[in-house]
Amino acid sequence: MTTVLDSRLLTDVLRDILSPYDLPPVEDVATRRQLARTLLSGRDNGSFDGLALAYAVVAYCASTEDGAAEVVGAVQNADVLVLDGARGGYLLVPCAQDQHVELARELHDRVGQDVWMAVAWASRRDLASARATAEDVLRIAQGRARGVYELRDVLADFAVLRQPHVAERLARMVEPVVAQQPLLDALRAFIAEDGNRAAAARRLDIHRSTLDHRLRLVERLTGCRPASPRALLTLSVALTAHSCPEVPLPH
């Protein structure tokens, strides 16, 4: 599929999107970083003249520092506020609500596949909440394939993480499976293949009967039958609750 980036640089795309917003010409990196931190912390009292009324908040992290630097480098010539750290950070991109996901995907296409991104959109007064949402979505996304995620992609996991007592109970439930690598691999493959036994067995390069045996052990240990779509969702969320990492984002 042809994307905007096939014919134009990302900075050109951003310039067109941002042109209606009369952003202040803040050139100093430290000043721009502090402005981003202030907006994301919810301490904006409306005193910053010329800023946009709404932003896409893109939380990102990479496997390496070079990967994170590549994200910042891709937008360094655009009017985007950046709060960056060693392996992750936030981008504040002024845009309309119907543009935020496409913008993040264009950026991810530009920087390659070594990066996870989570994107949320909010008005200036709600940026602190959008930051918290993007951070939680990014935590969940790190257990999945690299790419761009928004809240609707991880709703069940997100809801559980926002209820610590539920997350703790699910994590304890799945702990016996996590402790046995063959069972954990079988369950993860089965989830990744949406409950397709044949595809999961191929993914693991094992016989289907071996997979079935391991899934029966998962059921015995957890009380959840992986063949049931509802139980499989529960097991998937339990794995997220057990192993959801902290993300390397600046504060």
Side-chain angles (χ1 to χ4, degrees):
M1 177 182 293
T2 300
T3 69
V4 175
L5 289 174
D6 291 328
S7 57
R8 292 192 293 163
L9 294 175
L10 179 68
T11 51
D12 295 330
V13 177
L14 287 169
R15 188 177 300 113
D16 287 350
I17 291 173
L18 298 172
S19 58
Y21 302 99
D22 184 21
L23 294 176
V26 182
E27 300 297 338
D28 180 73
V29 173
T31 302
R32 292 174 64 81
R33 185 178 289 118
Q34 185 56 46
L35 179 55
R37 181 178 284 109
T38 299
L39 293 175
L40 288 169
S41 66
R43 298 196 304 269
D44 175 19
N45 59 10
S47 61
F48 300 108
D49 295 331
L51 292 186
L53 298 178
Y55 288 85
V57 178
V58 180
Y60 67 91
C61 65
S63 300
T64 65
E65 292 185 12
D66 287 344
E70 191 174 353
V71 175
V72 177
V75 295
Q76 64 182 352
N77 295 323
D79 292 319
V80 177
L81 296 175
V82 179
L83 178 59
D84 57 324
R87 290 200 301 109
Y90 300 92
L91 308 176
L92 276 173
V93 186
C95 69
Q97 187 171 10
D98 60 354
Q99 295 173 324
H100 68 293
V101 176
E102 180 183 359
L103 245 176
R105 287 174 178 161
E106 294 282 7
L107 176 57
H108 192 271
D109 288 344
R110 176 70 171 168
V111 300
Q113 301 302 311
D114 192 37
V115 178
W116 292 266
M117 290 182 177
V119 58
W121 181 91
S123 64
R124 274 176 60 182
R125 67 176 180 273
D126 294 324
L127 286 176
S129 177
R131 172 184 182 165
T133 296
E135 182 174 340
D136 280 348
V137 171
L138 188 61
R139 289 178 61 203
I140 298 165
Q142 275 204 283
R144 306 187 180 190
R146 295 170 178 85
V148 176
Y149 294 82
E150 54 181 321
L151 178 57
R152 66 180 179 179
D153 298 322
V154 294
L155 272 175
D157 306 77
F158 182 88
V160 167
L161 288 184
R162 290 296 177 97
Q163 300 292 327
H165 66 287
V166 176
E168 182 180 353
R169 183 174 179 179
L170 286 171
R172 288 200 305 269
M173 181 194 75
V174 82
E175 175 63 36
V177 174
V178 175
Q180 301 185 50
Q181 194 64 46
L183 301 188
L184 178 60
D185 290 343
L187 179 56
R188 282 179 170 166
F190 197 55
I191 292 170
E193 297 296 344
D194 294 324
N196 186 313
R197 281 186 167 84
R202 286 195 299 270
R203 175 184 284 257
L204 294 170
D205 195 24
I206 60 175
H207 196 275
R208 179 169 166 172
S209 61
T210 302
L211 175 70
D212 289 341
H213 173 68
R214 293 176 183 176
L215 293 178
R216 284 195 296 270
L217 291 177
V218 169
E219 180 179 359
R220 186 180 305 169
L221 290 171
T222 64
C224 290
R225 185 168 63 90
S228 163
R230 181 176 297 179
L232 188 61
L233 176 59
T234 299
L235 288 167
S236 176
V237 172
L239 286 179
T240 297
H242 185 276
S243 59
C244 195
E246 293 300 320
V247 288
L249 294 175
H251 298 288

